[in-house]
Amino acid sequence: MPRTQDHNRKESSVQSPSPTPETLLSALFAPGGFAYELSYPAIALDREGTVLHLNALYAELSLETIEKVQNTSIYQYLSPEEVTLLRPLIEKGFQEQTSITFTTRFIRDAGDSVFLEWNGTPLLHEGVIYALLWIGRDVSVSHKSEIEFKHLYSIAQAMNVGQSLSDTLLMVRNALKEVSGFDRTGVWLLQGEDLLGAWGTGLDCAVVDER
């Protein structure tokens, strides 16, 4: 017996269930999804800082596998200072449904540091935020330049107030070590071609007279 027009209308009016937050999030990080295809590290966090999903680039940064990082706390991968800064930012993101910016430092196997600036964007389901999607970009060069500027500025201030040569040399040494990895520095005092004095910092950070 053929279906009636009214019966067909009733069938077409039946709606499929809307996707759950977990389904939406899984799709973002699945092959072909937005976070999966990104050329930047990406991670999704809930309000407590639990890692809900992450892409391969974030796993590579954390020196772990995706499976090992997922469902763990983001705070175990951060320094105490970063944890103190991030907790209220996550809470703010959930309360105000606003984007959050945060900078973290990762140390690679070789010992060098990578600074990443993260932008946390709220993910909504039926008007309710269920996760923050964090996407990071490498800002190591600009961050190190900022550190270098701050150190050089403090050195200039120290020289302006008549700080001793020993203290100034140590400040220069510390600035160069943090920015470039050098662990010794020195100064020569010349008049024409005559060397009047030479001082430097040893490996133990002590200032030595090298004349």
Side-chain angles (χ1 to χ4, degrees):
M1 182 178 180
R3 296 182 176 182
T4 65
Q5 187 175 0
D6 183 61
H7 181 73
N8 288 336
R9 269 201 305 268
K10 287 181 180 179
E11 279 197 347
S12 63
S13 65
V14 177
Q15 297 181 351
S16 58
S18 61
T20 65
E22 176 56 32
T23 301
L24 295 171
L25 202 53
S26 296
L28 281 176
F29 286 86
F34 172 74
Y36 182 93
E37 300 294 338
L38 276 175
S39 56
Y40 301 96
I43 185 172
L45 303 177
D46 68 8
R47 196 166 194 155
E48 287 69 43
T50 303
V51 179
L52 302 176
H53 283 277
L54 64 152
N55 65 5
L57 289 175
Y58 184 89
E60 182 181 334
L61 273 174
S62 62
L63 305 177
E64 299 286 359
T65 64
I66 291 178
E67 294 73 20
K68 190 167 183 179
V69 176
Q70 194 167 359
N71 297 320
T72 62
S73 173
I74 185 63
Y75 300 124
Q76 71 185 66
Y77 305 102
L78 304 177
S79 69
E81 293 79 11
E82 290 171 335
V83 171
T84 301
L85 290 173
L86 184 57
R87 281 188 189 277
L89 290 179
I90 290 180
E91 185 61 28
K92 180 180 179 181
F94 273 84
Q95 281 188 349
E96 302 179 10
Q97 295 188 3
T98 185
S99 296
I100 301 295
T101 301
F102 180 66
T103 301
T104 58
R105 177 185 182 187
F106 288 85
I107 300 179
R108 292 175 170 165
D109 281 334
D112 58 321
S113 296
V114 179
F115 292 91
L116 292 179
E117 182 181 84
W118 298 89
N119 183 267
T121 302
L123 299 177
L124 302 177
H125 179 257
E126 298 180 352
V128 179
I129 180 172
Y130 63 91
L132 286 174
L133 176 63
W134 296 83
I135 299 173
R137 66 184 184 94
D138 193 334
V139 293
S140 300
V141 174
S142 60
H143 191 83
K144 289 177 180 178
S145 296
E146 182 180 351
I147 292 174
E148 182 179 27
F149 172 79
K150 287 180 179 178
H151 278 304
L152 293 178
Y153 181 73
S154 64
I155 291 169
Q157 283 186 313
M159 295 175 73
N160 284 337
V161 298
Q163 191 159 335
S164 69
L165 176 62
S166 297
D167 290 338
T168 303
L169 277 176
L170 287 176
M171 292 179 69
V172 173
R173 181 262 183 197
N174 292 337
L176 289 173
K177 183 173 177 59
E178 184 165 349
V179 174
S180 306
F182 299 114
D183 55 12
R184 299 186 68 186
T185 189
V187 60
W188 287 0
L189 184 61
L190 298 169
Q191 185 173 18
E193 296 183 355
D194 297 328
L195 178 64
L196 303 181
W199 298 268
T201 57
L203 292 175
D204 59 354
C205 297
V207 176
V208 293
D209 190 332
E210 298 180 342
R211 286 175 293 180

